[in-house]
């Protein structure tokens, strides 16, 4: 059961330190919108649990971010082109509570600054659309640019470490294998309609549904990814749970309708999806398919 905003506020207002074990435990079931920015910073290790260090570390981070070079004309062009694509993913989600104008000068400048800073901060990394997809939820949640940058960098590190355990190619192969096993009728329907997994599954797995789900659903999902014991490894099973939830609708659709549905998922009860994901995980483990 999700905790209230008051319970989070009480925990966050500790004068000496933040009880991270308790914060992690209550965050798994969802974080209220108003406290999510602060909680995510703790979960990602950006804010320090020792309150006596808080101001010093915050000023240090702001100064460090200020000093990073934010100029790269080629990357700027790519980001601006990709912003149109990213906004296209969100075009049909007019019922969303969180409204972001991704083409506004303020948001665009913030995105360009953060991604170019990240690339210059990590010299061996090249820009890709996936960076914009992962950055989106942080732009939607946090206000201060340096906070967004460090949270984004921490999330990218988590994703990179997760991929060191299992590559994207292997994750996709495992997901498709489970899809065939868990939902054989829907899998066959996708084959009959010639649905290529590259047209939807790659983005689902690589970008953690940050493009396809309404933003509120993504934020709730990531609450669990950042605080749950299984972490990002739960994601494959979440994708299976979503397919299971929408299987009846998808079986009635044809090729182009299926792709449109998969790329613009409707709002959904994420708590229910997460519970279903754990059940699928347990079932697959019981059948020795892991």
């Amino acid at each position: 059961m999700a905790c209230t905003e008051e319970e989070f506020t009480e925990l966050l207002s500790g004068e000496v330190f933040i009880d991270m074990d308790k914060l992690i435990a209550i965050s798994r079931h969802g974080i209220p919108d108003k406290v999510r920015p602060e909680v995510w910073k703790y979960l990602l290790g950006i804010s320090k649990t020792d309150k006596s260090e808080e101001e010093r570390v915050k000023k240090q981070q702001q100064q460090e971010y200020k000093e990073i070079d934010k100029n790269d004309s080629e990357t700027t062009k790519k980001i601006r082109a990709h912003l149109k694509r990213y906004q296209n993913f969100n075009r049909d989600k007019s019922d969303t509570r969180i409204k972001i104008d991704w083409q506004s000068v303020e948001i665009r400048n913030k995105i360009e600054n953060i991604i170019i800073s990240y690339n210059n901060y990590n010299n061996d990394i090249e820009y890709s659309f996936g960076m914009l997809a992962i950055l989106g939820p942080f732009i939607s949640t946090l206000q201060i640019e340096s906070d967004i940058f460090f949270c984004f960098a921490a999330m990218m590190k988590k994703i990179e470490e997760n991929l060191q355990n299992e590559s994207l190619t292997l994750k996709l192969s495992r997901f498709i294998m489970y899809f065939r096993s868990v939902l054989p009728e829907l899998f066959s329907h996708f084959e009959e309609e010639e649905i290529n997994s590259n047209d939807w599954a790659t983005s689902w797995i690589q970008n953690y549904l940050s493009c396809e789900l309404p933003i509120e659903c993504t934020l709730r999902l990531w609450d669990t990814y950042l605080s749950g014991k299984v972490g990002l490894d739960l994601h494959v099973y979440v994708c299976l749970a979503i397919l299971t939830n929408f299987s009846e609708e998808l079986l009635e659709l044809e090729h182009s309708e299926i792709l449109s549905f998969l790329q613009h998922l409707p709002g959904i009860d994420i708590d229910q999806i997460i519970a279903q994901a754990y059940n699928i995980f347990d079932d697959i483990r019981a059948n020795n398919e892991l």
Side-chain angles (χ1 to χ4, degrees), residues 50-91:
D50 184 344
K51 285 295 186 78
S52 65
E53 292 284 291
E54 197 168 45
E55 278 305 310
R56 181 188 65 80
V57 171
K58 187 175 181 179
K59 287 178 181 177
Q60 182 181 325
Q61 287 172 345
Q62 288 174 340
Q63 184 61 33
E64 185 179 352
Y65 178 67
K66 186 179 178 182
E67 292 173 359
I68 302 173
D69 180 19
K70 297 172 179 63
N71 296 305
D72 186 333
S73 58
E74 287 303 309
T75 300
T76 297
K77 289 177 186 174
K78 293 176 184 176
I79 293 170
R80 291 187 181 184
H82 282 164
L83 265 172
K84 294 177 183 176
R85 177 181 163 195
Y86 185 75
Q87 192 167 34
N88 186 51
F89 272 106
N90 293 275
R91 73 181 191 274

Side-chain angles (χ1 to χ4, degrees), residues 112-154:
E112 290 169 5
N113 286 342
I114 291 166
I115 290 178
I116 291 170
S117 294
Y118 178 75
N119 285 1
N120 289 333
Y121 196 72
N122 301 274
N123 294 323
D124 57 336
I125 294 177
E126 290 188 11
Y127 169 73
S128 67
F129 175 77
M131 290 182 184
L132 176 56
I134 297 301
L135 177 58
F138 294 108
I139 293 285
S140 304
T141 304
L142 295 110
Q143 297 297 319
I144 299 171
E145 195 171 300
S146 58
D147 285 346
I148 300 170
F149 168 78
F150 283 105
C151 284
F152 168 67

Side-chain angles (χ1 to χ4, degrees), residues 47-239:
S47 293
K48 302 304 175 187
T49 56
D50 184 344
K51 285 295 186 78
S52 65
E53 292 284 291
E54 197 168 45
E55 278 305 310
R56 181 188 65 80
V57 171
K58 187 175 181 179
K59 287 178 181 177
Q60 182 181 325
Q61 287 172 345
Q62 288 174 340
Q63 184 61 33
E64 185 179 352
Y65 178 67
K66 186 179 178 182
E67 292 173 359
I68 302 173
D69 180 19
K70 297 172 179 63
N71 296 305
D72 186 333
S73 58
E74 287 303 309
T75 300
T76 297
K77 289 177 186 174
K78 293 176 184 176
I79 293 170
R80 291 187 181 184
H82 282 164
L83 265 172
K84 294 177 183 176
R85 177 181 163 195
Y86 185 75
Q87 192 167 34
N88 186 51
F89 272 106
N90 293 275
R91 73 181 191 274
D92 295 328
K93 298 166 186 173
S94 57
D95 60 337
T96 182
R97 286 197 321 274
I98 300 172
K99 306 288 186 184
I100 302 289
D101 181 1
W102 298 101
Q103 292 291 345
S104 73
V105 174
E106 180 187 359
I107 295 295
R108 190 182 68 202
N109 287 344
K110 195 176 281 190
I111 288 169
E112 290 169 5
N113 286 342
I114 291 166
I115 290 178
I116 291 170
S117 294
Y118 178 75
N119 285 1
N120 289 333
Y121 196 72
N122 301 274
N123 294 323
D124 57 336
I125 294 177
E126 290 188 11
Y127 169 73
S128 67
F129 175 77
M131 290 182 184
L132 176 56
I134 297 301
L135 177 58
F138 294 108
I139 293 285
S140 304
T141 304
L142 295 110
Q143 297 297 319
I144 299 171
E145 195 171 300
S146 58
D147 285 346
I148 300 170
F149 168 78
F150 283 105
C151 284
F152 168 67
M155 185 65 169
M156 291 296 286
K157 185 178 180 182
K158 272 183 175 291
I159 291 170
E160 182 184 345
E161 289 171 349
N162 187 261
L163 289 174
Q164 287 174 355
N165 297 327
E166 183 181 33
S167 71
L168 178 62
T169 302
L170 288 175
K171 276 186 191 294
L172 278 165
S173 297
R174 186 161 58 90
F175 170 62
I176 297 301
M177 179 183 72
Y178 292 163
F179 179 18
R180 183 189 293 115
S181 172
V182 173
L183 294 161
E185 185 181 3
L186 185 60
F187 184 85
S188 295
H189 180 60
F190 276 26
E191 284 193 320
E192 288 168 9
E193 292 296 326
E194 299 181 343
I195 301 296
N196 189 326
S197 61
N198 290 331
D199 292 333
W200 66 281
T202 301
S203 177
W204 274 36
I205 299 297
Q206 185 174 30
N207 301 325
Y208 294 89
L209 292 165
S210 58
C211 294
E212 294 80 8
L213 281 172
I215 189 63
E216 291 89 355
C217 295
T218 303
L219 300 182
R220 169 63 194 92
L221 184 59
W222 284 22
D223 290 343
T224 294
Y225 288 168
L226 294 178
S227 58
K229 291 180 181 178
V230 181
L232 296 177
D233 286 334
L234 183 65
H235 184 62
V236 165
Y237 308 97
V238 165
C239 292

